[in-house]
């Protein structure tokens, strides 16, 4: 048996991460619960993605687990209370993906409001010489509500202010050091804004917080942008609102049950869909991958974490 700590890799890892990790650890890709039983006692650490987390059946199967290094900022799919109870440390790649995720929120907002995807299809189909296009929506002077005002929400606000858009935000508490207006009621924020951008954390507290009442408040001229978690939105209600044009459109980077998302989204022309790509740039994924590795190296060197959550 190897004397090096065993690391379970729940999600596929990039080649440079594998190369670095293999210098210090024994890697075991997760396949099936049955296969996991063979090497479970040797596993002292886990790498995983924010969307995958660590399912309870995996955590429970690892008696010697000490540390979880998350390639992302989401911990809603990790039982942090159980981790604390077992003294399992948890780290994320916080502060590495803020800028790219904020960029994606703006890209989705601009793309759906200016109807970029449908215009691209129109030109490629050779339709330009033969028929007119419907007008799109201006961004200037529009009101933007941001639900969730942590690092990412604030980075979004900074960007969209450059478009001369008015910003207000909903959050668990007001941020006194920001110039933007705090709105403590999400429905009131939805009624006020033209664009509602979701940047909240996932988990039970935010599950299905975007329901029929919120979409009705957003209204037929309103747009929904989600770069948070798919669980934040009641997708059946959203699909009906989009089909019936009770909201103007949606730009979505995250979904419930991704990557096997509801195929009803595919037929909607008033949506822009992304495959959870907000942080998917060469620069950010490289920084994230290195931080995942560095957290594990730090922990097994001196017991510390560079970016701890637990």
């Amino acid at each position: 048996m190897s004397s090096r700590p065993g690391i379970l890799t729940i999600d596929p890892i990039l080649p440079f991460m594998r190369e670095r990790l293999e210098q210090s650890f024994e890697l075991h890709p997760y396949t099936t619960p049955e296969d996991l039983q063979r090497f479970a006692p040797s596993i002292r650490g886990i790498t995983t993605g924010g969307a995958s987390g660590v399912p309870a059946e995996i955590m429970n199967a690892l008696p010697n687990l000490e540390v979880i290094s998350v390639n992302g900022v989401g911990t809603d799919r990790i039982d942090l209370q159980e981790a604390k109870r077992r003294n399992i440390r948890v780290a994320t790649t916080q502060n590495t993906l803020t800028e790219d995720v904020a960029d994606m929120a703006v890209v989705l907002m601009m793309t759906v409001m200016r109807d970029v995807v449908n215009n691209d299809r129109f030109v490629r189909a050779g339709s330009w010489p033969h028929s007119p296009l419907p007008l799109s929506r201006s961004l200037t002077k529009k009101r933007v509500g941001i639900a969730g005002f942590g690092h990412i929400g604030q980075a979004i606000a900074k960007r969209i202010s450059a478009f001369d858009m008015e910003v207000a935000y909903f959050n668990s508490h007001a941020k006194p050091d920001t110039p933007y207006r705090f709105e403590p009621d999400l429905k009131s924020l939805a009624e006020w804004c033209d664009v509602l951008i979701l940047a909240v954390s996932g988990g039970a507290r935010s599950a299905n917080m975007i329901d029929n009442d919120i979409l009705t408040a957003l209204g037929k001229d309103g747009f929904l942008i989600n770069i948070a978690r798919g669980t934040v939105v009641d997708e059946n209600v959203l699909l009906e609102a989009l089909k019936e044009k009770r909201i103007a459109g949606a730009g979505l980077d995250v979904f419930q049950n991704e990557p096997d998302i509801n195929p009803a989204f595919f037929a909607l022309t008033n949506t822009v869909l992304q495959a959870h790509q907000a942080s998917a740039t060469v620069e950010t994924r490289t920084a994230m991958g290195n931080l995942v590795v560095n957290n594990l190296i730090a922990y097994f060197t001196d017991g510390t974490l560079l970016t701890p959550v637990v």
Side-chain angles (χ1 to χ4, degrees), residues 16-17 20 93 285-295 306:
F16 80 88
M17 295 174 63
R20 289 193 64 202
T93 55
R285 288 294 171 88
T286 300
M288 291 170 65
N290 277 320
L291 185 51
V292 168
V293 176
N294 291 342
N295 269 312
L306 304 177

Side-chain angles (χ1 to χ4, degrees), residues 22-283:
E22 285 178 340
Q23 294 174 14
S24 304
F25 307 105
E26 195 74 27
L27 301 189
H28 298 279
Y30 178 75
T31 52
T32 65
E34 293 73 26
D35 193 41
L36 178 60
Q37 291 177 4
R38 295 189 301 105
F39 49 81
S42 70
I43 297 300
R44 296 173 62 193
I46 288 176
T47 67
T48 186
S52 298
V54 181
E57 59 270 22
I58 293 180
M59 187 183 288
N60 294 339
L62 303 176
N64 300 312
L65 180 62
E66 299 174 35
V67 61
I68 299 168
S69 190
V70 181
N71 196 359
V73 295
T75 56
D76 47 296
R77 296 191 177 179
I78 299 173
D79 188 338
L80 296 181
Q81 290 303 118
E82 178 65 8
K84 288 178 183 178
R85 188 189 70 80
R86 290 179 53 183
N87 295 317
I88 298 169
R89 302 297 308 281
V90 179
T92 66
T93 55
Q94 55 195 278
N95 302 324
T96 59
L97 47 72
T98 298
E99 307 304 327
D100 275 349
V101 175
D103 285 349
M104 179 61 80
V106 176
V107 167
L108 286 170
M109 179 182 70
M110 296 180 69
T111 303
V112 70
M113 290 182 72
R114 293 305 306 266
D115 212 16
V116 173
V117 172
N118 289 324
N119 273 267
D120 179 83
R121 291 172 181 156
F122 179 84
V123 173
R124 292 176 188 277
S127 302
W128 193 2
H130 311 297
S131 56
L133 272 167
L135 299 177
S136 61
R137 307 293 182 94
S138 174
L139 280 71
T140 306
K141 303 295 185 183
K142 291 295 191 296
R143 294 173 168 180
V144 179
I146 302 174
F149 213 61
H151 293 299
I152 292 172
Q154 293 176 63
I156 294 168
K158 179 180 177 181
R159 284 158 171 73
I160 61 180
S161 295
F163 293 103
D164 199 17
M165 303 177 90
E166 188 177 351
V167 177
Y169 68 95
F170 166 82
N171 199 53
S172 57
H173 58 275
K175 301 276 187 175
D177 55 345
T178 179
Y180 308 107
R181 181 174 67 84
F182 172 57
E183 174 52 69
D185 181 67
L186 180 58
K187 186 176 179 181
S188 296
L189 182 68
E191 290 173 339
W192 171 83
C193 69
D194 302 294
V195 184
L196 180 60
I197 300 178
L198 308 180
V200 296
S201 300
R205 203 168 99 178
S206 64
N208 290 329
M209 66 186 293
I210 306 303
D211 56 15
N212 187 64
D213 285 349
I214 300 300
L215 294 177
T216 299
L218 184 59
K220 63 182 182 60
D221 294 320
F223 293 86
L224 181 72
I225 308 297
N226 190 8
I227 48 80
R229 278 282 186 264
T231 54
V232 173
V233 178
D234 185 329
E235 285 191 349
N236 290 327
V237 169
L238 175 61
L239 284 164
E240 288 303 312
L242 288 164
K243 289 175 189 174
E244 297 170 5
K245 305 295 176 66
R246 290 190 286 110
I247 66 170
L252 308 171
D253 185 53
V254 289
F255 304 85
Q256 296 197 22
N257 305 313
E258 58 186 54
D260 299 314
I261 71 172
N262 191 326
F265 281 110
F266 304 154
L268 297 171
T269 59
N270 55 348
T271 59
V272 175
L273 313 177
Q274 289 285 290
H276 206 146
Q277 294 292 290
S279 66
T281 64
V282 171
E283 296 84 355

